[in-house]
Amino acid sequence: KNAIKASIILIMNKTDVLVIGAGPVGLFVVHQLGLIGLKSEVVDNLDKIGGQCIELYPDKPIYDIPGIPECTGESLTKNLLEQIKPFKTNFHLNERVQEISKEKNNWKIVTSKNKIFIAPNIIIAGGVGSFEPRKFPIKEAEKFENNGVFYSIKDKTYFKNKKICIFGGGDSALDWAIELSKIAKVILVHRRTEFRGAEQSAETVKKLEKEGKLKIKAPFQINSIEGQDKISAINIKSDDGKTEKITTDCVLGFFGLIMKLGPIAEWGLNLEKKHIPVNTENFQTNKEGIFAIGDICTYPGKLKLILSGFHEAALATRACFKLARPNEKYKFEFTTTSKNVHER
């Protein structure tokens, strides 16, 4: 009996807030919680900290972080981790939250590794949930996956001096076309003549084409891939049936992500097209004590930007204080005077 009791104690974790998701928004909410004296634990189903930024584009430049003209997903993650180091937060990686249930004023959270957390607050900062990239619809693509066909870039130097075909018309496709054109021969292929990414990026791509630094093929889609052990060429096809053969070393597909909410879908939260509706006062869901921030939440006027997630984190944090410390009054302080900042 004592052995059983000891094992239960080992996996039972009490905390003020359980944060689901260790991407930039999840890391920043840990910082905001720490500033007001709340303890948090973080669970993420990836095997590393950093979320989409690390998994999909660690090397891709990010331009919309206030005060930082340019950074990568990797450097942003590194700096956010440095910022929260004083709070000694525990990360539970390669692990997902399987079940939640209400016990009096707390949530009981059970993970895939049978850890149990007891907390009055849960903050879902899980980006778009479990995710995987949309892939090329042709059978040959699977044969060359990670050997000529890629859906993310982990080390851009791999593509130096190579011939590359980039497919897509969103921000990732445009950003990588611009970035890789500095070190490789790039052809950007899109099924429409107009791009859906940022207007400035689209203008930059068109300017680079005029300067002969990359080529644009639109409207075209991939039709087939040729090669034995490695890719030798691809064939693209237009809506009117016109085909072209392009010799290339690599094919990159940026078609967005397929969202998979996983167990979150069973938690009784209101869902709207795989997103979680929240109120904009504190980003609480329809369940008291469960908050959603970052790309996974939705509300009128929502912008899917990291900086929007930072704002959402700040407000959700203050609401968590009321549930974690019901007998204390929250006193707003600027970080220049906050006791928790100066005692770190």
Side-chain angles (χ1 to χ4, degrees):
K1 281 186 179 178
N2 289 337
I4 293 169
K5 191 181 284 186
S7 67
I8 292 171
I9 291 168
L10 279 174
I11 60 169
M12 190 80 75
N13 300 277
K14 285 194 173 183
T15 189
D16 294 317
V17 185
L18 182 82
V19 178
I20 302 173
V25 174
L27 295 177
F28 187 68
V29 85
V30 167
H31 173 261
Q32 291 294 291
L33 291 164
L35 284 183
I36 60 174
L38 295 185
K39 176 70 179 163
S40 59
E41 303 265 336
V42 183
V43 173
D44 197 295
N45 66 347
L46 293 177
D47 60 359
K48 58 184 84 70
I49 297 170
Q52 292 178 57
C53 278
I54 289 297
E55 184 71 3
L56 295 182
Y57 38 80
D59 242 356
K60 178 183 163 187
I62 297 170
Y63 301 106
D64 60 356
I65 305 300
I68 303 174
E70 180 182 332
C71 66
T72 63
E74 190 170 8
S75 64
L76 177 61
T77 300
K78 184 181 175 184
N79 285 332
L80 285 164
L81 280 170
E82 185 66 28
Q83 194 174 32
I84 66 172
K85 193 187 285 184
F87 304 124
K88 298 179 174 61
T89 305
N90 295 318
F91 287 87
H92 307 267
L93 303 177
N94 241 344
E95 197 164 352
R96 67 194 294 171
V97 173
Q98 294 290 92
E99 303 169 29
I100 65 165
S101 56
K102 197 76 190 250
E103 291 195 352
K104 295 183 180 177
N105 295 324
N106 287 307
W107 289 100
K108 179 185 176 184
I109 303 112
V110 183
T111 75
S112 55
K113 292 185 179 176
N114 290 323
K115 287 181 191 164
I116 298 173
F117 295 88
I118 302 295
N121 300 288
I122 298 171
I123 296 181
I124 304 168
V128 288
S130 300
F131 57 87
E132 61 182 51
R134 293 184 187 278
K135 299 187 177 182
F136 289 105
I138 55 172
K139 61 181 179 180
E140 303 101 312
E142 191 175 342
K143 173 185 171 184
F144 293 106
E145 197 165 314
N146 296 319
N147 180 31
V149 172
F150 301 93
Y151 300 102
S152 65
I153 293 177
K154 304 220 168 137
D155 178 10
K156 69 182 177 187
T157 59
Y158 172 84
F159 301 95
K160 191 172 183 180
N161 299 324
K162 286 185 168 71
K163 293 178 183 175
I164 305 165
C165 285
I166 296 176
F167 284 78
D171 288 323
S172 291
L174 295 175
D175 289 349
W176 277 120
I178 295 165
E179 191 67 19
L180 292 177
S181 69
K182 300 170 187 174
I183 61 170
K185 290 183 178 178
V186 172
I187 297 175
L188 177 62
V189 186
H190 186 38
R191 61 196 173 107
R192 297 193 186 95
T193 51
E194 293 301 314
F195 297 106
R196 56 186 169 79
E199 190 176 339
Q200 185 178 350
S201 299
E203 290 302 318
T204 301
V205 161
K206 291 171 186 174
K207 181 171 174 280
L208 289 171
E209 185 188 32
K210 285 180 183 175
E211 294 170 355
K213 292 176 181 174
L214 59 75
K215 290 180 182 176
I216 298 173
K217 298 281 184 184
F220 279 96
Q221 296 188 62
I222 196 162
N223 193 47
S224 64
I225 300 174
E226 297 178 13
Q228 293 300 320
D229 297 329
K230 61 179 184 177
I231 293 174
S232 58
I234 62 166
N235 292 288
I236 57 174
K237 188 176 183 178
S238 66
D239 290 342
D240 60 8
K242 178 185 172 186
T243 60
E244 274 189 43
K245 183 174 180 175
I246 301 170
T247 58
T248 188
D249 300 309
C250 303
V251 182
L252 302 176
F254 296 107
F255 306 117
L257 301 170
I258 299 170
M259 294 171 56
K260 293 189 174 180
L261 286 180
I264 292 176
E266 311 299 321
W267 296 353
L269 300 172
N270 289 338
L271 294 176
E272 189 178 294
K273 294 181 181 176
K274 297 185 182 177
H275 290 74
I276 303 171
V278 293
N279 70 60
T280 51
E281 180 186 356
N282 55 19
F283 299 92
Q284 190 166 241
T285 67
N286 61 305
K287 300 277 186 183
E288 186 184 35
I290 301 183
F291 304 82
I293 61 176
D295 286 356
I296 202 165
C297 77
T298 186
Y299 51 87
K302 166 73 179 181
L303 281 176
K304 285 192 174 184
L305 297 173
I306 293 175
L307 64 89
S308 301
F310 290 165
H311 158 76
E312 293 156 10
L315 289 182
T317 296
R318 274 65 189 176
C320 286
F321 187 90
K322 295 175 185 176
L323 295 173
R325 305 278 190 273
N327 299 321
E328 294 179 33
K329 187 174 180 182
Y330 170 69
K331 181 185 173 188
F332 175 78
E333 290 180 305
F334 293 104
T335 53
T336 48
T337 57
S338 171
K339 179 183 175 187
N340 289 313
V341 174
H342 294 296
E343 287 186 353
R344 289 193 298 173

